[in-house]
């Protein structure tokens, strides 16, 4: 995994003006700690920071087609293409010659052979830029599910681009400006495809190719979810899902570095860990796979169940590891102290990793620390992320009111529980017009949903709910996981985002997805032989969040600092509104209460204040 950036200009000679690109490239050092490269030509400069995972010696970038001949395409690339060995064999048969064993070179030759349509042939998580000197065109390509980020910023004579906004903002022609729409994205907890929060900047929409040339730019969608009839019966469907999972995890275990897994003790991560251990055994690998779990010191003693967390994770994670066997899984529990997530250096790293104020507070800080701990032992980790979106694991899939609601289903639980009240109390909800903004984005999203002819009623509505989760909520979570893991120099792979699995399960009827009356019915049935019964029957639990009063008191002190004269956050929330938050009892925010609870809002305001200062953001309302 890596970080990329670059600059294209059609009116300047960039061999004489490429000074900003080294600085842009260095902002990606966290994503690529192993190597640095810059390729320069009159119209384009490409930068790359590398995390070496495949072909440690030969896969350096930016990579030209050949080092002997100029004027041919060059690529700067991040991610993994899991079917690159099959593609390489096909391309070799077509006469292509390879000098490395990297997937990067395969992608470049695929472009040479098939042109822009080569993207349809790729299976993986990737984002890359190809500069073609023959046509003076730049291609920006992003994977189907949006696992790997990629942003661009058009200029009067070209474009700036990068894996993350920070790379673009390091160029003097890019401005860090946020307007009301950008603020609405932040505080409504939306991840609208293509929206980058910073004015003038765009995110490459998943499954698209963005082409730049002297005439401007165009966007082509190379894949999308389609509604298709599902003709398999239940037993065949369960078998097909297991077949896909076996193939996907086996592909994603391949690397020239050590691979581990993230193990929470929930169904998704337990499935990935159990499959990984089984596949390694099949191939005669003697060393057990490292499976990592996170816990807070004293969490078990302080734990209080609520709507998000029914029980602590660690006992279940231990049971999974024991069930798989010590010879096959080396279970590592990463125990954090609450003081760890309060350290200013940690908070600074998380802010810089995401380029935006935190959305889920201490959960983001602890995820970063977990990834740092993993990086000490592995370079790649497989995660259960995205299973809930495709297998209907969230409570809102099964809540009749959320299903019948007229907003994004993950917004509904907090609306019903008064979760929006905090933003309304401090005036920010109305000032940003969040009701209207969310409604507009919701209507836009519904307009994209693929429809199956003749499908009506509850089945049609559940297709909508599934699509909203896959195209929006999953987008948010994948971005969070990528940014925080890459900030630690760790590559996280997400088997449940394989487009073959997503397509198949998306088109499975709702009655089949919930055939046993529970969440994730199909996944549970497909993997019942792998896991202990307690984990198979466990209800969905969210990523752990601290319930320690030490953290809450420290958060309150940081909110107190927002009352200082000139605090940037006062541009959007007046001092008297901040004081309202401080007047609330500690008990009201000891436990996280959804997206807009007191604690979540306090965290977001603290981080917003730091973000405006750190990034020099100009707020224009």
């Amino acid at each position: 995994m890596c970080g990329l950036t670059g600059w294209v200009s059609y009116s300047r000679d960039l061999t004489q003006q490429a000074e900003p690109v080294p600085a842009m490239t260095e902002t990606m050092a966290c994503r690529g700690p192993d190597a640095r490269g810059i390729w320069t030509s009159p119209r384009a400069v490409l930068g790359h920071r590398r995390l070496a995972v495949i072909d440690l010696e030969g896969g350096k970038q930016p990579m030209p087609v050949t080092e002997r001949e100029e004027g041919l395409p060059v690529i700067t690339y991040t991610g993994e293409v899991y079917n690159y060995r099959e593609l390489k064999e096909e391309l070799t048969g077509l006469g292509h010659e390879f000098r490395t064993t990297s997937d990067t070179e395969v992608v470049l030759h695929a472009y040479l052979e098939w042109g822009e349509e080569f993207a349809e042939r790729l299976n993986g998580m990737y984002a890359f830029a190809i500069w073609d000197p023959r046509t003076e065109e730049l291609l920006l390509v992003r994977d189907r599910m949006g696992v790997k980020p990629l942003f661009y910023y058009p200029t009067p004579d070209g474009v700036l681009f990068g894996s993350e906004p920070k790379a673009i903002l390091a160029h003097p022609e890019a401005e860090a400006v946020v307007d009301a729409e950008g603020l609405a994205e932040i505080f409504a907890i939306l991840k609208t495809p293509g929206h980058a929060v910073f004015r003038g900047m765009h995110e490459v929409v998943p499954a698209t190719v963005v082409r730049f040339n002297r005439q401007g730019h165009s966007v082509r969608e190379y894949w999308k979810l389609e509604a298709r009839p599902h003709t398999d019966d239940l037993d065949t469907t369960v078998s097909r899902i297991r077949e896909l999972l076996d193939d996907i995890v086996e592909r994603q275990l391949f690397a020239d570095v050590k691979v581990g897994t993230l193990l929470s003790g929930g169904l998704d991560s337990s499935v990935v860990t159990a499959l990984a251990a089984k596949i390694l055994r099949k191939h005669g690998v003697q060393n057990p796979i490292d499976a990592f779990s996170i816990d807070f010191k004293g969490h078990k003693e302080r734990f209080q169940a609520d709507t998000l967390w029914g029980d602590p994770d660690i006992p279940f994670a231990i049971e999974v590891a024991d069930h798989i066997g010590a010879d096959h899984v080396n279970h590592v529990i990463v125990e954090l102290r609450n003081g760890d997530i309060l350290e200013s250096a940690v908070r600074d790293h998380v802010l810089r990793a995401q380029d935006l104020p935190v959305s889920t507070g201490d959960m983001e800080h602890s995820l970063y620390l977990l990834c740092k701990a993993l990086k000490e032992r592995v370079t790649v980790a497989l995660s259960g992320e995205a299973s809930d979106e495709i297998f209907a694991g969230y409570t809102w899939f099964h809540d009749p009111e959320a299903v019948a609601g007229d907003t994004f289903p993950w917004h509904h639980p907090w609306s019903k529980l008064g979760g929006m009240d905090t933003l309304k109390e401090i005036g920010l909800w109305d000032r940003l017009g969040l009701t209207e903004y969310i409604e507009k984005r919701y209507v836009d999203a519904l307009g994209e949903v693929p429809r199956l002819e003749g499908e009506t009623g509850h089945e049609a509505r559940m297709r909508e709910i599934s699509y909203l989760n896959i195209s929006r909520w999953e987008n948010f979570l994948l971005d969070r996981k990528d940014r925080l893991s890459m900030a630690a120099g760790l590559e996280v792979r997400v088997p449940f985002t394989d487009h073959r699995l997503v397509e198949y399960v998306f088109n499975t009827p709702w009655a089949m997805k919930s055939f046993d009356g529970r969440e994730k019915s199909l996944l549970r049935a497909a993997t019942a032989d792998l896991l202990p019964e307690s984990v198979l029957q466990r209800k969905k639990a969210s990523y752990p969040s601290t319930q320690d009063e030490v953290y809450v008191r420290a958060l309150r002190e940081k909110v107190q600092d927002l009352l200082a004269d000139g605090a940037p956050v006062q541009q959007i929330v007046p001092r008297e509104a901040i004081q309202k938050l401080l007047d609330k009892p500690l008990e009201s925010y000891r436990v996280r209460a959804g997206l807009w609870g007191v604690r979540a809002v306090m965290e977001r305001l603290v981080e917003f204040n730091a973000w405006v200062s750190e990034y020099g953001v100009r707020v224009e309302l």
Side-chain angles (χ1 to χ4, degrees), residues 23 171 182 230 240 268 280 284 306 345 371 398 435 446 454 466 473 532 552 593:
H171 192 287
H230 184 82
R240 177 57 179 157
D268 314 327
L280 292 176
D306 59 26
C371 291
H398 311 276
T435 297
L446 282 183
S466 295
W473 185 244
V552 177

Side-chain angles (χ1 to χ4, degrees), residues 272-298:
V272 170
T273 300
L275 281 174
K278 183 177 180 180
I279 290 164
L280 292 176
R281 287 202 303 276
K282 181 182 76 172
H283 289 287
V285 177
Q286 300 301 316
N287 295 329
I289 192 166
D290 288 343
F292 298 85
S293 304
I294 186 173
D295 197 19
F296 290 100
K297 190 174 181 62

Side-chain angles (χ1 to χ4, degrees), residues 413-484:
W414 317 123
S415 172
K416 184 172 67 173
L417 296 172
M420 300 175 181
D421 289 349
T422 306
L423 280 181
K424 291 179 177 178
E425 284 178 15
I426 63 175
L428 196 54
W429 188 274
D430 291 335
R431 187 174 188 192
L432 297 180
L434 293 186
T435 297
E436 295 78 15
Y437 188 77
I438 293 172
E439 181 179 353
K440 180 181 185 304
R441 293 307 188 191
Y442 176 66
V443 171
D444 291 344
L446 282 183
E448 301 171 8
V449 178
R451 312 285 177 176
L452 187 63
E453 187 176 352
E455 189 175 63
T456 60
H458 191 63
E459 282 287 345
R461 177 55 177 164
M462 294 316 296
R463 185 180 293 276
E464 291 180 346
I465 297 292
S466 295
Y467 183 85
L468 293 172
N469 276 269
I470 291 169
S471 67
R472 298 307 195 271
W473 185 244
E474 184 176 317
N475 211 2
F476 164 69
L477 295 177
L478 288 174
D479 185 71
R480 180 182 70 170
K481 179 65 70 68
D482 174 82
R483 301 293 197 91
L484 295 173

